[in-house]
Amino acid sequence: MAIEAALTGHLVFSTLHTNDAAGAFPRLLEMGLEPFLVSTAIKGVLAQRLVRRICKYCKEPVEISQAMRGELHLSPEKQFYHGRGCEKCDGSGYKGRCGIYEFLVPNETVRNLIIKRSSGDVIKRAAMKECGMITLRMDGIQKALDGHTTLEQAVGASAADD
């Protein structure tokens, strides 16, 4: 029903359980939808995760191990933060949550991959290369650099294959 409504011009929002935005297309095909309908009807897919927000009252710079920097390809001058723990955050170093996001807007290449029933990984690589898609991991690392969350929270909430 949602695909039919979208094809007739209605704006449809729905939720779907997948690991990332690109995984929505194979998931819809697994549900029995025709590839040409999915490729035509879907105008965008948003993946989101909540991560713990660093307490603003006890936020301080933190050193990241060379192993972690190497694994994530992070240069030494990039500064990250954590909360040391205080009264305001009950000693946890965190207060509240913030989101990390991945938004995939399919172009012609992605639509063709959907029609070919390509895997989510293939679709994701194409979206990153041709659509400039920012992945959950990339957005999480940027939020960690901006001091909103820790690098550990960002990495833990994002898929490992980015």
Side-chain angles (χ1 to χ4, degrees):
M1 278 173 61
I3 293 291
E4 287 178 21
L7 289 171
T8 60
H10 292 83
L11 181 60
V12 178
F13 291 96
S14 184
T15 61
L16 192 62
H17 294 282
T18 62
N19 290 330
D20 56 17
F25 300 107
R27 179 73 183 107
L28 289 168
L29 299 178
E30 287 170 8
M31 294 170 68
L33 295 169
E34 292 297 327
F36 71 93
L37 293 176
V38 172
S39 70
T40 303
I42 305 298
K43 302 301 180 201
V45 179
L46 177 73
Q48 61 185 3
R49 300 283 183 279
L50 288 177
V51 293
R52 298 173 79 187
R53 184 183 293 274
I54 299 172
C55 174
K56 65 182 177 182
Y57 298 101
C58 63
K59 180 169 81 174
E60 63 184 16
V62 66
E63 286 298 318
I64 302 300
S65 73
Q66 290 303 329
M68 176 80 91
R69 285 186 184 275
E71 182 181 329
L72 298 173
H73 310 290
L74 301 170
S75 59
E77 69 272 2
K78 300 225 185 255
Q79 180 61 62
F80 293 93
Y81 303 88
H82 78 145
R84 76 179 169 285
C86 69
E87 258 179 33
K88 302 268 188 188
C89 63
D90 293 325
S92 70
Y94 297 102
K95 189 76 171 170
R97 306 242 177 204
C98 67
I100 59 173
Y101 307 98
E102 174 177 293
F103 188 48
L104 193 164
V105 178
N107 66 358
E108 198 60 37
T109 300
V110 171
R111 285 189 185 91
N112 288 334
L113 290 171
I114 295 165
I115 290 169
K116 292 178 186 174
R117 295 181 176 268
S118 296
S119 71
D121 289 339
V122 171
I123 293 170
K124 183 177 197 166
R125 282 194 296 277
M128 290 170 66
K129 181 179 178 185
E130 294 197 19
C131 305
M133 182 181 80
I134 295 169
T135 65
L136 285 167
R137 168 82 38 103
M138 293 161 67
D139 190 44
I141 290 172
Q142 186 58 55
K143 295 244 168 70
L145 283 166
D146 294 342
H148 299 298
T149 191
T150 63
L151 186 58
E152 293 78 13
Q153 284 285 306
V155 169
S158 60
D161 60 351
D162 289 342

